[in-house]
Amino acid sequence: MGRVQDVAGGVVFSGKNAREGVKKFIAGTDHGCPVLLDPSAYENFYATAEEPFTTEPRHYVDTHRTGLGATLEQWAASPADLVLTPTRYLRCDDAGARALDAAVGQMNATDTRPVVFSVPVDATWLTERREHLITSLQRVRAPKALILGARNNPLDSKRRARALREVLRSCPDTALLRTDLAALDAMAYGASFTSVGDTASVRHAVPPEMRGGRPGTDSSPHVVLPALMGYFHGSTLAERLRNPRRCLCTPCVEWGEARNNGEAGRLLSDFQDSADKKAAHAHNMAVWSRWWRELASESSPESVRSRWKGMCRRALNEYEWHNREFSPREDTFRASNALRYWADTDDEDPRSPATR
């Protein structure tokens, strides 16, 4: 947490221990960065029109304001700078659509000055109910935070990556939370702010009662390989990289200096054990934070998008080189469909018929 930059970064606490995490962080650090509290009701419950939010039991019935208002008043008493609404998981069906409408209605009837409207939707909303989602987000008077849910990667297709960009461009004052490097594309195309999960479990939401990810026993951390702009298990890099490069990000350089091993940085194949997770998280944050600083240094939104597209194209080209030169196996590294879209798009108007 100490590596979060005050000017350009903040911290989002989510999950069942989010409130306690906020308190400990603020009490135990000399922080100057924004702190956001996410109650994460979407982890445990599906939203319905009758109960789109998880409200405190004693505030469920309130004769002067909605149960949501009283609950938010209690959450807002935390030391966090912003609080997300305790919105439940929104299925991509008629019941989920009615629940979203009910949530928007309650939100607009509530005093929401320190609050961000959390919108945890199943990722299939992007392609199957995108117009409804856009219309709903446009109706909300408060800031919004979109959270995508899926068992695996929510942006597993170019179509979804394109649709997400359309939603963000069409809905001002909307953030994208619990994501991966999609955060950079989101910022380039209109998101008010984003958050990148430090572990795979908080880089997207998972439908209640469903386990995320693929079965396996690999305990090595996910590591960003800068040349490929992708996350890979440390064990994968150790097994498949030939002549691995040393990373010269600040945390990796500090790691090498602390061990006085005579060489700068740390090998990208070195993150193989669960004990390396903290160091891997620091490396990942340093890498994507550097990319965002480079993008933010551009003088116009058009320049930001052009530079981002160029970064993605270079990474996509690197996959062929890595598979040919680094890997003992053919096509062992595969680019995500989202990266392929970010690299190949001609930045057409997302509202044109061709994108629908």
Side-chain angles (χ1 to χ4, degrees):
M1 294 301 183
R3 299 188 182 277
V4 177
Q5 296 189 3
D6 295 351
V7 175
V11 184
V12 180
F13 286 89
S14 58
K16 62 181 181 180
N17 297 318
R19 195 176 340 211
E20 291 71 21
V22 168
K23 292 178 181 177
K24 290 180 180 179
F25 177 72
I26 291 178
T29 61
D30 183 19
H31 79 290
C33 62
V35 178
L36 193 152
L37 172 60
D38 176 10
S40 307
Y42 50 83
E43 292 184 346
N44 301 310
F45 303 101
Y46 287 104
T48 64
E50 295 73 27
E51 292 186 272
F53 303 100
T54 294
T55 54
E56 297 293 335
R58 62 180 176 276
H59 294 316
Y60 185 71
V61 177
D62 191 309
T63 57
H64 300 289
R65 56 186 182 272
T66 66
L68 173 64
T71 295
L72 292 178
E73 192 174 282
Q74 180 170 325
W75 279 98
S78 80
D81 298 287
L82 288 174
V83 176
L84 264 63
T85 57
T87 318
R88 297 182 171 190
Y89 193 92
L90 294 156
R91 304 175 196 256
C92 186
D93 56 18
D94 290 343
R98 291 192 295 271
L100 178 57
D101 292 341
V104 170
Q106 288 192 31
M107 193 66 188
N108 284 340
T110 304
D111 181 3
T112 59
R113 282 170 291 181
V115 175
V116 176
F117 179 43
S118 171
V119 190
V121 295
D122 194 89
T124 51
W125 274 79
L126 292 175
T127 50
E128 297 181 17
R129 292 180 179 266
R130 183 170 64 260
E131 292 300 327
H132 190 154
L133 179 61
I134 289 174
T135 300
S136 298
L137 292 175
Q138 290 174 339
R139 286 173 50 210
V140 181
R141 294 194 291 268
K144 289 84 66 176
L146 186 65
I147 298 171
L148 299 179
R151 182 173 184 179
N152 296 305
N153 181 10
L155 299 181
D156 61 358
S157 68
K158 289 185 178 181
R159 188 181 174 208
R160 284 189 185 173
R162 180 188 300 115
L164 174 60
R165 190 180 283 182
E166 177 184 347
V167 171
L168 293 173
R169 288 175 119 174
S170 302
C171 304
D173 209 13
T174 299
L176 177 66
L177 302 185
R178 290 185 79 139
T179 189
D180 53 18
L181 300 183
L184 299 178
D185 189 77
M187 290 296 291
Y189 285 89
S192 54
F193 63 93
T194 61
S195 73
V196 178
D198 61 352
T199 65
S201 63
V202 288
R203 284 197 282 272
H204 63 90
V206 177
E209 302 176 356
M210 182 180 293
R211 294 187 62 182
R214 297 177 176 84
T217 58
D218 193 335
S219 61
S220 64
H222 282 89
V223 181
V224 172
L225 184 55
L228 302 186
M229 291 182 66
Y231 284 89
F232 301 91
H233 273 293
S235 61
T236 300
L237 300 182
E239 176 188 357
R240 302 179 183 181
L241 280 182
R242 289 180 176 174
N243 303 316
R245 302 169 184 173
R246 287 186 175 273
C247 178
L248 298 179
C249 73
T250 298
C252 288
V253 168
E254 291 176 352
W255 181 92
E257 290 176 345
R259 285 152 183 78
N260 194 26
N261 58 14
E263 296 183 81
R266 185 172 186 175
L267 292 173
L268 286 171
S269 58
D270 195 39
F271 302 91
Q272 300 181 41
D273 191 85
S274 58
D276 296 318
K277 287 185 178 180
K278 184 176 181 180
H281 297 165
H283 159 82
N284 295 343
M285 181 182 292
V287 171
W288 57 254
S289 294
R290 184 187 75 234
W291 288 337
W292 173 242
R293 288 195 300 272
E294 292 172 358
L295 292 171
S297 70
E298 294 292 337
S299 58
S300 68
E302 293 75 18
S303 297
V304 170
R305 293 192 285 270
S306 177
R307 185 164 185 169
W308 169 241
K309 180 178 179 179
M311 291 167 59
C312 295
R313 283 189 166 179
R314 286 192 296 274
L316 194 60
N317 291 335
E318 283 280 343
Y319 275 84
E320 180 181 356
W321 189 86
H322 272 66
N323 283 327
R324 186 177 66 249
E325 298 293 334
F326 273 11
S327 174
R329 307 177 185 179
E330 185 178 356
D331 295 336
T332 190
F333 295 107
R334 295 188 178 183
S336 69
N337 287 319
L339 178 65
R340 293 182 185 279
Y341 170 70
W342 302 333
D344 294 342
T345 178
D346 58 4
D347 193 26
E348 72 277 6
D349 182 349
R351 290 161 291 189
S352 68
T355 67
R356 297 189 184 280

